[in-house]
Amino acid sequence: MRLLLVEDDAELSAALVADLERRGFASDSAATCEDAALFVQTIQYGAMILDLGLPDGNGLDMIRRLRAQANPLPILVITARGDLESRIAGLEAGADDYLAKPFSPDELVARLRAVLRRGGSYQGREIVCGNLVFDTDNSQLTVVGRVVSLSQRESALLGLLLRRTGLVVTKRLAEDQLFGAQDLLGSNAIEVYVHRLRQKLEAAETSVEIVTIRGVGYLLKPVAE
Ligand code: CA
Protein backbone atom coordinates (compact mmCIF):
# COMPACT_ATOMS: atom_id res chain seq x y z
CA MET A 1 0.00 0.00 0.00
CA ARG A 2 1.17 3.49 -0.83
CA LEU A 3 0.81 6.47 1.45
CA LEU A 4 0.86 10.15 0.61
CA LEU A 5 2.67 12.41 3.05
CA VAL A 6 1.85 16.11 2.70
CA GLU A 7 4.31 18.15 4.75
CA ASP A 8 6.20 21.33 3.82
CA ASP A 9 8.95 20.94 6.43
CA ALA A 10 11.50 19.20 4.17
CA GLU A 11 13.55 17.80 7.03
CA LEU A 12 10.55 16.35 8.86
CA SER A 13 9.11 15.03 5.61
CA ALA A 14 12.31 13.18 4.67
CA ALA A 15 12.62 11.72 8.17
CA LEU A 16 8.99 10.52 8.14
CA VAL A 17 9.25 8.99 4.67
CA ALA A 18 12.39 7.08 5.73
CA ASP A 19 10.72 5.98 8.94
CA LEU A 20 7.54 4.84 7.19
CA GLU A 21 9.61 3.00 4.60
CA ARG A 22 11.44 1.11 7.35
CA ARG A 23 8.06 0.02 8.70
CA GLY A 24 6.88 -1.24 5.35
CA PHE A 25 4.89 1.76 4.12
CA ALA A 26 5.98 3.10 0.75
CA SER A 27 5.25 6.83 0.65
CA ASP A 28 5.16 9.68 -1.81
CA SER A 29 5.71 13.14 -0.42
CA ALA A 30 4.18 16.46 -1.42
CA ALA A 31 4.96 19.87 0.09
CA THR A 32 2.03 21.91 -1.22
CA CYS A 33 -1.76 21.57 -1.55
CA GLU A 34 -1.38 21.78 -5.31
CA ASP A 35 1.04 18.85 -5.52
CA ALA A 36 -1.00 16.83 -3.06
CA ALA A 37 -4.19 17.35 -5.10
CA LEU A 38 -2.37 16.20 -8.23
CA PHE A 39 -1.00 13.09 -6.50
CA VAL A 40 -4.43 12.17 -5.12
CA GLN A 41 -6.01 12.49 -8.57
CA THR A 42 -3.37 10.27 -10.16
CA ILE A 43 -2.60 7.57 -7.62
CA GLN A 44 -4.82 5.39 -5.47
CA TYR A 45 -3.40 5.83 -1.97
CA GLY A 46 -4.14 3.73 1.08
CA ALA A 47 -4.08 6.82 3.28
CA MET A 48 -2.87 10.40 3.44
CA ILE A 49 -0.85 11.95 6.27
CA LEU A 50 -1.56 15.66 6.10
CA ASP A 51 0.01 18.73 7.66
CA LEU A 52 -2.50 21.60 7.89
CA GLY A 53 -0.27 24.65 7.50
CA LEU A 54 0.96 24.47 3.91
CA PRO A 55 2.60 27.26 1.87
CA ASP A 56 -0.23 27.52 -0.68
CA GLY A 57 -3.21 26.88 1.53
CA ASN A 58 -4.81 25.15 4.44
CA GLY A 59 -4.98 21.36 4.68
CA LEU A 60 -8.51 21.67 6.08
CA ASP A 61 -9.72 23.08 2.76
CA MET A 62 -8.14 20.16 0.97
CA ILE A 63 -9.95 17.69 3.22
CA ARG A 64 -13.26 19.49 2.60
CA ARG A 65 -12.70 19.43 -1.16
CA LEU A 66 -11.93 15.70 -1.16
CA ARG A 67 -14.94 14.91 0.98
CA ALA A 68 -17.17 17.09 -1.20
CA GLN A 69 -16.10 14.80 -4.06
CA ALA A 70 -17.05 11.81 -1.87
CA ASN A 71 -13.40 10.74 -1.77
CA PRO A 72 -13.14 8.30 1.18
CA LEU A 73 -9.31 8.38 1.39
CA PRO A 74 -8.34 7.82 5.05
CA ILE A 75 -6.70 11.03 6.30
CA LEU A 76 -4.51 11.39 9.36
CA VAL A 77 -3.83 15.03 10.20
CA ILE A 78 -0.48 16.00 11.73
CA THR A 79 -0.08 19.57 12.87
CA ALA A 80 1.41 21.85 15.45
CA ARG A 81 -2.06 23.24 16.06
CA GLY A 82 -2.81 20.74 18.75
CA ASP A 83 -5.45 22.76 20.52
CA LEU A 84 -8.92 21.41 20.93
CA GLU A 85 -10.54 23.86 18.53
CA SER A 86 -8.43 22.98 15.51
CA ARG A 87 -8.60 19.32 16.42
CA ILE A 88 -12.39 19.49 16.21
CA ALA A 89 -12.23 21.51 13.00
CA GLY A 90 -10.00 18.83 11.45
CA LEU A 91 -12.32 16.01 12.38
CA GLU A 92 -15.39 17.95 11.26
CA ALA A 93 -13.78 18.66 7.91
CA GLY A 94 -13.58 14.88 7.43
CA ALA A 95 -10.19 13.84 8.80
CA ASP A 96 -10.07 10.37 10.35
CA ASP A 97 -7.67 11.14 13.14
CA TYR A 98 -5.47 13.91 14.44
CA LEU A 99 -1.96 13.89 15.82
CA ALA A 100 -0.31 16.97 17.39
CA LYS A 101 3.36 17.69 16.70
CA PRO A 102 5.75 16.72 18.04
CA PHE A 103 4.85 13.03 17.98
CA SER A 104 6.84 9.84 18.06
CA PRO A 105 7.04 7.78 14.86
CA ASP A 106 5.66 4.87 16.88
CA GLU A 107 2.49 6.78 17.66
CA LEU A 108 2.13 7.93 14.05
CA VAL A 109 2.32 4.35 12.81
CA ALA A 110 -0.05 3.07 15.52
CA ARG A 111 -2.64 5.73 14.60
CA LEU A 112 -2.13 5.05 10.93
CA ARG A 113 -2.73 1.34 11.42
CA ALA A 114 -5.89 2.08 13.43
CA VAL A 115 -7.21 4.38 10.69
CA LEU A 116 -6.43 1.75 8.04
CA ARG A 117 -8.12 -1.00 10.06
CA ARG A 118 -11.29 1.07 10.18
CA GLY A 119 -10.98 1.67 6.46
CA GLY A 120 -11.31 5.37 7.19
CA SER A 121 -14.20 6.56 9.31
CA TYR A 122 -15.46 8.99 6.74
CA GLN A 123 -18.42 7.81 4.75
CA GLY A 124 -19.90 10.19 2.29
CA ARG A 125 -23.50 9.51 1.45
CA GLU A 126 -22.58 8.48 -2.08
CA ILE A 127 -19.53 6.47 -3.07
CA VAL A 128 -18.67 6.71 -6.75
CA CYS A 129 -16.39 4.18 -8.41
CA GLY A 130 -16.19 3.82 -12.18
CA ASN A 131 -19.74 3.98 -13.53
CA LEU A 132 -21.22 2.82 -10.24
CA VAL A 133 -22.82 4.96 -7.53
CA PHE A 134 -23.55 3.46 -4.14
CA ASP A 135 -25.78 5.36 -1.74
CA THR A 136 -24.61 4.44 1.77
CA ASP A 137 -27.78 5.79 3.39
CA ASN A 138 -30.18 3.36 1.76
CA SER A 139 -27.62 0.88 0.31
CA GLN A 140 -28.88 1.53 -3.19
CA LEU A 141 -26.63 0.67 -6.12
CA THR A 142 -27.06 2.62 -9.34
CA VAL A 143 -25.15 1.91 -12.55
CA VAL A 144 -25.41 4.61 -15.19
CA GLY A 145 -28.69 5.75 -13.69
CA ARG A 146 -30.21 2.23 -13.46
CA VAL A 147 -30.95 0.82 -10.02
CA VAL A 148 -29.51 -2.66 -9.45
CA SER A 149 -31.31 -4.71 -6.81
CA LEU A 150 -29.09 -6.35 -4.22
CA SER A 151 -29.86 -8.48 -1.20
CA GLN A 152 -29.01 -7.04 2.20
CA ARG A 153 -25.78 -9.03 2.45
CA GLU A 154 -24.77 -8.36 -1.12
CA SER A 155 -25.07 -4.62 -0.51
CA ALA A 156 -23.23 -4.90 2.82
CA LEU A 157 -20.39 -6.66 1.00
CA LEU A 158 -20.36 -4.09 -1.79
CA GLY A 159 -20.33 -1.22 0.73
CA LEU A 160 -17.42 -2.80 2.56
CA LEU A 161 -15.43 -3.28 -0.65
CA LEU A 162 -16.22 0.23 -1.88
CA ARG A 163 -15.17 1.91 1.36
CA ARG A 164 -11.81 0.25 0.89
CA THR A 165 -11.50 0.61 -2.87
CA GLY A 166 -8.04 -0.53 -3.91
CA LEU A 167 -7.38 -2.11 -0.52
CA VAL A 168 -7.76 -5.76 0.39
CA VAL A 169 -10.79 -6.72 2.46
CA THR A 170 -9.81 -9.88 4.31
CA LYS A 171 -12.19 -12.80 4.37
CA ARG A 172 -12.30 -12.51 8.14
CA LEU A 173 -13.31 -8.83 8.04
CA ALA A 174 -16.01 -9.59 5.48
CA GLU A 175 -17.36 -12.41 7.66
CA ASP A 176 -17.40 -10.15 10.71
CA GLN A 177 -19.27 -7.44 8.84
CA LEU A 178 -21.75 -9.60 6.98
CA PHE A 179 -22.72 -12.17 9.53
CA GLY A 180 -23.74 -12.11 13.15
CA ALA A 181 -21.98 -14.16 15.82
CA GLN A 182 -24.99 -16.49 15.89
CA ASP A 183 -24.73 -17.33 12.19
CA LEU A 184 -23.21 -20.72 11.55
CA LEU A 185 -20.89 -20.18 8.65
CA GLY A 186 -19.80 -22.67 6.06
CA SER A 187 -16.17 -22.14 5.10
CA ASN A 188 -17.22 -20.77 1.71
CA ALA A 189 -20.00 -18.42 2.88
CA ILE A 190 -18.17 -15.30 1.74
CA GLU A 191 -17.24 -16.88 -1.60
CA VAL A 192 -20.94 -17.47 -2.25
CA TYR A 193 -21.76 -13.78 -1.73
CA VAL A 194 -18.76 -12.60 -3.71
CA HIS A 195 -19.83 -14.86 -6.56
CA ARG A 196 -23.41 -13.52 -6.54
CA LEU A 197 -22.23 -9.92 -6.30
CA ARG A 198 -19.80 -10.43 -9.19
CA GLN A 199 -22.61 -11.84 -11.32
CA LYS A 200 -24.83 -8.85 -10.58
CA LEU A 201 -22.04 -6.34 -11.22
CA GLU A 202 -21.25 -8.08 -14.50
CA ALA A 203 -24.88 -8.25 -15.58
CA ALA A 204 -25.24 -4.51 -14.85
CA GLU A 205 -22.11 -3.83 -16.92
CA THR A 206 -20.31 -2.00 -14.15
CA SER A 207 -16.77 -0.81 -14.80
CA VAL A 208 -15.45 -2.25 -11.53
CA GLU A 209 -14.28 -5.73 -10.68
CA ILE A 210 -13.81 -7.78 -7.52
CA VAL A 211 -10.36 -9.34 -7.56
CA THR A 212 -9.62 -12.42 -5.44
CA ILE A 213 -6.34 -12.26 -3.54
CA ARG A 214 -5.80 -15.95 -2.91
CA GLY A 215 -5.66 -16.92 0.73
CA VAL A 216 -6.22 -13.33 1.86
CA GLY A 217 -9.44 -11.80 0.66
CA TYR A 218 -10.89 -9.52 -1.97
CA LEU A 219 -10.27 -6.15 -3.49
CA LEU A 220 -12.54 -3.97 -5.57
CA LYS A 221 -11.08 -1.81 -8.29
CA PRO A 222 -12.07 -0.04 -11.48
CA VAL A 223 -11.51 -2.23 -14.56
CA ALA A 224 -8.40 -1.08 -16.41
CA GLU A 225 -9.36 0.48 -19.74
CA1 CA B 1 3.57 23.18 7.81
Side-chain angles (χ1 to χ4, degrees):
M1 175 201 321
R2 254 192 127 60
L3 303 176
L4 177 61
L5 171 67
V6 189
E7 168 62 67
D8 61 321
D9 178 333
E11 208 174 312
L12 176 61
S13 177
L16 284 177
V17 166
D19 212 80
L20 288 165
E21 204 92 11
R22 264 201 304 280
R23 292 156 192 262
F25 294 101
S27 317
D28 292 328
S29 58
T32 61
C33 293
E34 198 188 343
D35 281 357
L38 199 65
F39 271 119
V40 168
Q41 276 167 28
T42 329
I43 297 170
Q44 181 91 48
Y45 287 104
M48 172 161 71
I49 300 169
L50 175 68
D51 176 35
L52 292 187
L54 293 164
D56 60 342
N58 187 324
L60 283 181
D61 294 330
M62 186 154 67
I63 302 175
R64 288 192 193 101
R65 263 199 305 279
L66 288 171
R67 296 321 190 202
Q69 297 159 4
N71 189 322
L73 177 67
I75 299 173
L76 177 61
V77 164
I78 50 167
T79 178
R81 303 172 198 174
D83 59 286
L84 186 63
E85 204 173 304
S86 48
R87 187 186 156 93
I88 291 170
L91 295 174
E92 279 184 345
D96 293 278
D97 203 357
Y98 195 107
L99 195 53
K101 292 178 190 169
F103 50 81
S104 78
D106 285 342
E107 184 172 11
L108 174 69
V109 169
R111 298 251 187 168
L112 190 59
R113 291 219 165 98
V115 163
L116 291 171
R117 263 200 305 279
R118 295 199 300 268
S121 58
Y122 172 80
Q123 294 166 12
R125 184 186 160 131
E126 284 188 343
I127 301 176
V128 180
C129 186
N131 62 359
L132 164 168
V133 180
F134 185 71
D135 185 323
T136 56
D137 265 16
N138 58 14
S139 295
Q140 190 176 70
L141 169 65
T142 316
V143 180
V144 205
R146 285 190 312 268
V147 174
V148 177
S149 92
L150 297 176
S151 75
Q152 204 183 339
R153 279 184 180 148
E154 287 161 0
S155 61
L157 177 62
L158 179 62
L160 180 65
L161 288 162
L162 278 169
R163 288 190 188 96
R164 298 174 63 91
T165 299
L167 298 175
V168 175
V169 171
T170 62
K171 213 174 129 180
R172 174 70 196 278
L173 177 66
E175 282 172 358
D176 287 350
Q177 302 268 319
L178 259 65
F179 302 100
Q182 74 283 5
D183 291 313
L184 270 175
L185 294 188
S187 61
N188 66 344
I190 290 297
E191 277 92 333
V192 170
Y193 284 98
V194 168
H195 177 69
R196 287 186 198 161
L197 185 56
R198 271 198 185 119
Q199 283 185 323
K200 288 196 177 176
L201 293 179
E202 248 178 63
E205 297 180 345
T206 56
S207 61
V208 302
E209 61 181 338
I210 302 172
V211 180
T212 302
I213 313 291
R214 279 186 78 88
V216 183
Y218 305 93
L219 174 154
L220 181 139
K221 66 179 187 64
V223 178
E225 304 269 329

